[in-house]
């Protein structure tokens, strides 16, 4: 039996990366409200709801350092305060999350990483598969057979990275949990974790491949060459503190039930008002279409997929299709379509995608017609049925779609 999907978003990390990805050309409303972080975050939210269809979901936000600053005052102390126009967007982002009917995951004084670590463990123990979406590689230590991490890449046209345990082993040469020990040895400048002076990534990885953990390394110092041993001996206390700082808490005393995180229905009126105020016009159009598909025919996939689980759909009468449609789901069908296109005087076509953002949407299918009577539909990104690859489609369709028009 398949396990339900539980998606966890690292709210602060994603918002921060969207904000800085657009510093050169920030998004600003006509009333002067900066919305770069809020817009990017909302697009991410829509992307997850559309493409992944999680049954359970939470968005975690930082509200402190989980006490790490108490035993290491320099933890993250070097970071500059967030810009005011970023901080002003955080209440907006939380409002967006709630308007979408999603669970805010916060706890006074706790880091989002620790909330995610605890709730993801509980979700797996209750039978769910978890995907954590963040821009923070620290969360890779949580990878296991039922937990993946999707890393946001803030570059147009560059897809996010999906990590599992096998991918981690390939890239790091270690087990995911050893990321904690790796940071304990090499440190982490972004969080001001000191590590052991003189021990870098290459040396730390070799030590962990040999011994497994910093505890085992220090138990076997006599097996390590003198130059490295001296650095380790001098940095013993720093290594212990660094490991404590780098370890994500997975045992916070949080009440848990899967149903508390079930994706709920959007608050339609509140969401529309908020999207209008923020001038997120493309997202607003998508939402309004999803809730008002015309009676008598289903809306296009990108019009209904985002909210079809949450909003009631209008009834669709059981009547035959107005026009016959040929599903192009084989090499022979694709070749036949190519022949039909070559002799056509005019070609109408449209694309079905997972969203309306051209930089983030994925292709689902291509619709074509040459006579206004018969339709062709080429399946590419469906979850079921035979799919036609982009390479196959390009090879067959390019000549007809790029040739000069035939005389009328």
């Amino acid at each position: 039996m398949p396990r339900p999907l539980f998606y966890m978003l690292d709210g602060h990390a994603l918002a921060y990366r969207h904000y800085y990805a657009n510093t050169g050309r920030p998004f600003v409303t006509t009333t002067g409200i900066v919305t770069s972080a809020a817009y990017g975050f909302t697009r991410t939210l829509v992307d997850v709801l559309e493409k992944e269809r999680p049954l359970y979901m939470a968005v975690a936000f930082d509200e402190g350092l989980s006490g790490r600053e108490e035993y290491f005052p320099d933890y993250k102390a070097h970071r500059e305060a967030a810009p005011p126009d970023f901080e002003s967007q955080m209440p907006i982002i939380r409002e967006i999350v709630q308007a979408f009917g999603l669970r805010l995951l916060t706890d006074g004084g706790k880091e989002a990483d620790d909330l995610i670590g605890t709730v993801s463990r509980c979700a797996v123990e209750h039978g769910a598969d978890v995907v954590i979406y963040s821009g923070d590689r620290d969360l890779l230590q949580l990878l296991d057979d039922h937990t993946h991490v999707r890393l946001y890449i803030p570059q147009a046209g560059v897809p996010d990275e999906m990590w599992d345990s096998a991918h981690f082993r390939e890239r790091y040469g270690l087990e995911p949990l050893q990321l904690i020990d790796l940071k304990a040895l090499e440190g982490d400048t972004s969080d001001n974790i000191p590590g052991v002076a003189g021990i870098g990534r290459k040396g730390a990885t070799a030590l962990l491949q040999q011994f497994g953990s910093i505890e085992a390394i220090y138990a076997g110092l006599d097996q390590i060459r003198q130059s490295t041993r001296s650095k380790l001996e001098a940095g013993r206390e720093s290594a212990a503190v660094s490991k404590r700082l780098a370890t994500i808490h997975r045992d916070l005393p949080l009440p848990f039930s899967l149903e508390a995180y079930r994706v709920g229905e959007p608050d339609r009126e509140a969401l529309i008002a908020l999207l209008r105020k923020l001038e997120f016009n493309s997202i607003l159009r998508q939402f309004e279409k999803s809730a008002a598909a015309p009676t008598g025919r289903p809306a296009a996939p990108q019009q209904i997929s985002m909210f079809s689980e949450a909003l009631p759909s209008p009834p669709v009468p059981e009547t035959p299709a107005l026009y016959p449609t040929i599903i192009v789901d084989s090499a022979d069908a694709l070749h036949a379509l190519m022949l039909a296109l070559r002799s056509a005087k005019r070609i109408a076509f449209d694309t079905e995608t997972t969203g309306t953002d051209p930089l983030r949407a994925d292709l689902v299918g291509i619709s074509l017609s040459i006579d206004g009577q018969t339709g062709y539909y080429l399946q590419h990104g469906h979850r079921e049925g035979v799919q036609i690859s982009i390479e196959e489609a390009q090879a067959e369709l390019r000549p007809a779609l790029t040739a000069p028009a035939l005389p009328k």
Side-chain angles (χ1 to χ4, degrees):
M1 182 176 178
R3 297 165 67 97
L5 181 60
F6 193 127
Y7 235 91
M8 305 196 70
L9 271 62
D10 185 350
H12 259 98
L14 290 172
Y16 218 75
R17 280 158 178 76
H18 280 299
Y19 175 84
Y20 280 104
N22 295 287
T23 51
R25 192 172 62 179
F27 295 4
V28 183
T29 68
T30 55
T31 58
I33 302 172
V34 178
T35 60
S36 301
Y39 180 81
F41 179 87
T42 307
R43 268 291 167 210
T44 294
L45 203 58
V46 169
D47 176 68
V48 170
L49 291 170
E50 270 197 328
K51 295 171 66 174
E52 307 300 334
R53 300 292 188 89
L55 188 59
Y56 306 104
M57 193 170 182
V59 184
F61 292 93
D62 291 315
E63 287 194 353
L65 301 176
S66 296
R68 291 176 175 87
E69 75 284 7
E70 295 176 8
Y71 60 87
F72 190 73
D74 288 338
Y75 179 64
K76 295 188 177 181
H78 64 304
R79 292 188 179 183
E80 296 182 3
D85 60 351
F86 170 78
E87 287 293 347
S88 66
Q89 294 179 69
M90 294 312 299
I92 295 172
I93 289 173
R94 293 188 182 212
E95 193 175 351
I96 289 169
V97 171
Q98 292 177 311
F100 270 96
L102 304 173
R103 174 75 178 268
L104 281 172
L105 183 56
T106 61
D107 193 16
K110 300 296 189 295
E111 283 197 68
D113 286 5
D114 302 315
L115 298 171
I116 291 171
T118 297
V119 172
S120 65
R121 175 188 60 79
C122 294
V124 169
E125 290 174 355
H126 282 72
D129 281 333
V130 174
V131 176
I132 299 166
Y133 193 4
S134 177
D136 187 352
R137 290 177 181 268
D138 293 349
L139 291 161
L140 296 179
Q141 66 184 264
L142 303 179
L143 293 169
D144 59 34
D145 290 344
H146 295 290
T147 305
H148 291 188
V149 173
R150 179 178 168 185
L151 280 181
Y152 169 67
I153 310 297
Q155 292 177 257
V158 179
D160 301 327
E161 278 189 288
M162 186 66 83
W163 286 72
D164 59 14
S165 297
H167 186 40
F168 186 92
R169 294 185 195 105
E170 180 183 351
R171 291 281 291 270
Y172 281 83
L174 301 169
E175 292 297 318
L177 267 178
Q178 290 178 295
L179 179 61
I180 302 169
D181 300 86
L182 185 66
K183 288 180 174 292
L185 291 170
E186 71 167 348
D188 184 348
T189 56
S190 66
D191 289 339
N192 220 25
I193 296 175
V196 176
I199 302 293
R201 169 66 58 87
K202 185 177 179 180
T205 300
L207 287 167
L208 290 171
Q209 288 172 338
Q210 180 180 356
F211 292 96
S213 67
I214 61 167
E215 291 80 9
I217 290 170
Y218 280 102
L221 280 177
D222 58 342
Q223 303 174 46
I224 300 172
R225 64 182 183 179
Q226 182 58 47
S227 59
T228 302
R229 187 193 314 165
S230 298
K231 296 172 185 175
L232 289 167
E233 288 174 334
R236 184 188 291 263
E237 183 178 346
S238 181
V241 171
S242 296
K243 182 166 184 174
R244 189 179 174 191
L245 291 170
T247 301
I248 291 176
H249 300 171
R250 309 205 70 181
D251 57 355
L252 298 180
L254 299 175
F256 182 85
S257 72
L258 275 177
E259 288 307 304
Y261 294 91
R262 182 180 286 273
V263 174
E265 294 187 6
D267 183 333
R268 177 175 166 74
E269 291 185 4
L271 190 53
I272 287 177
L274 191 54
L275 294 175
R276 283 177 176 161
K277 175 184 176 182
L278 298 172
E279 299 174 11
F280 294 172
N281 296 324
S282 62
I283 300 174
L284 175 61
R285 287 193 296 271
Q286 189 171 356
F287 177 69
E288 290 179 325
K289 288 178 181 178
S290 73
T295 301
R297 56 179 286 203
Q302 71 265 31
Q303 296 174 346
I304 63 173
S305 61
M306 179 168 55
F307 304 105
S308 61
E309 295 288 335
L311 293 176
S313 299
V316 179
E318 296 182 4
T319 56
L322 293 176
Y323 302 103
T325 300
I326 298 171
I327 302 300
V328 181
D329 59 358
S330 69
D332 289 342
L334 181 60
H335 186 68
L337 171 60
M338 181 272 289
L339 295 176
L341 294 176
R342 284 177 59 181
S343 62
K345 292 184 178 181
R346 60 184 65 84
I347 300 172
F349 69 93
D350 188 22
T351 58
E352 303 296 351
T353 63
T354 58
T356 56
D357 186 338
L359 297 179
R360 301 185 66 84
D362 293 326
L363 183 67
V364 171
I366 303 173
S367 305
L368 304 104
S369 182
I370 59 176
D371 58 7
Q373 299 298 317
T374 300
Y376 297 85
Y377 185 70
L378 188 153
Q379 294 189 168
H380 168 67
H382 287 247
R383 294 180 178 177
E384 298 179 356
V386 178
Q387 309 299 303
I388 302 298
S389 71
I390 289 295
E391 292 74 21
E392 290 178 287
Q394 286 179 335
E396 294 282 18
L397 301 184
R398 180 182 282 116
L401 294 177
T402 58
L406 293 174
K408 297 182 179 179

